[in-house]
Amino acid sequence: MYSTDSILGVAKPDRTVPEDSPATTDGACPAGAGHDSAGYNFNIPHDIPETPTAQHNWRFCTKCYGMFFWGYADNGRCPAGNAHAAAGYDFVLPHDIPEPPGSQRNWRFCPKCYGLYFYGYPTNGVCPAGNAHSVAGYDFVLPHL
């Protein structure tokens, strides 16, 4: 059973199914198993025009449940195997702006896997393309609830 996720605009597993069902997955994490949620619930703008301080072409991956940049032909490296699979909204991520209340900065693009990851920890996490994520591009400032 699937329902629509109001933030991502894609089908998501209905959490009423048995815990051992594949439909209860939290995606594929390159560190192993599924993702663990922590911190804020983000409210990311979508389907609006790109601006000099907001980049579009960020998409939800139906395989790993992560967000990745959909602006290159090969779609990056997904921890669930091969390339990411885009679905749902065209997210427009604010970047290189002061961190207003109700936002979190330090979200970065990895040029190896094309994923979005948090750059505010002592390590950069595990990249599905090997070793740790690399940092490139903008400093994204994501609004949260």
Side-chain angles (χ1 to χ4, degrees):
M1 174 70 77
Y2 286 81
S3 61
T4 300
D5 186 308
S6 61
I7 293 183
L8 296 177
V10 296
K12 69 174 186 176
D14 181 343
R15 297 298 181 191
T16 61
V17 296
E19 283 300 312
D20 61 347
S21 167
T24 62
T25 183
D26 289 319
C29 178
H35 297 287
D36 290 329
S37 62
Y40 300 113
N41 286 321
F42 292 95
N43 187 19
I44 302 172
H46 58 84
D47 300 313
I48 59 174
E50 183 174 58
T51 70
T53 58
Q55 183 183 49
H56 82 112
N57 276 338
W58 285 92
R59 303 294 297 272
F60 171 78
C61 176
T62 59
K63 294 168 35 181
C64 70
Y65 290 19
M67 189 172 290
F68 75 101
F69 186 67
W70 197 50
Y72 299 110
D74 64 356
N75 288 343
R77 180 88 173 264
C78 179
N82 300 315
H84 291 287
Y89 299 127
D90 174 11
F91 292 100
V92 183
L93 277 53
H95 60 80
D96 300 319
I97 59 172
E99 183 179 25
S103 324
Q104 184 182 49
R105 62 180 293 270
N106 285 328
W107 288 91
R108 303 302 294 262
F109 167 73
C110 176
K112 298 186 321 184
C113 68
Y114 302 175
L116 184 70
Y117 73 98
F118 187 64
Y119 187 60
Y121 294 117
T123 64
N124 289 346
V126 178
C127 178
N131 300 315
H133 288 294
S134 294
V135 64
Y138 302 126
D139 177 11
F140 293 101
V141 182
L142 304 183
H144 57 78
L145 302 175

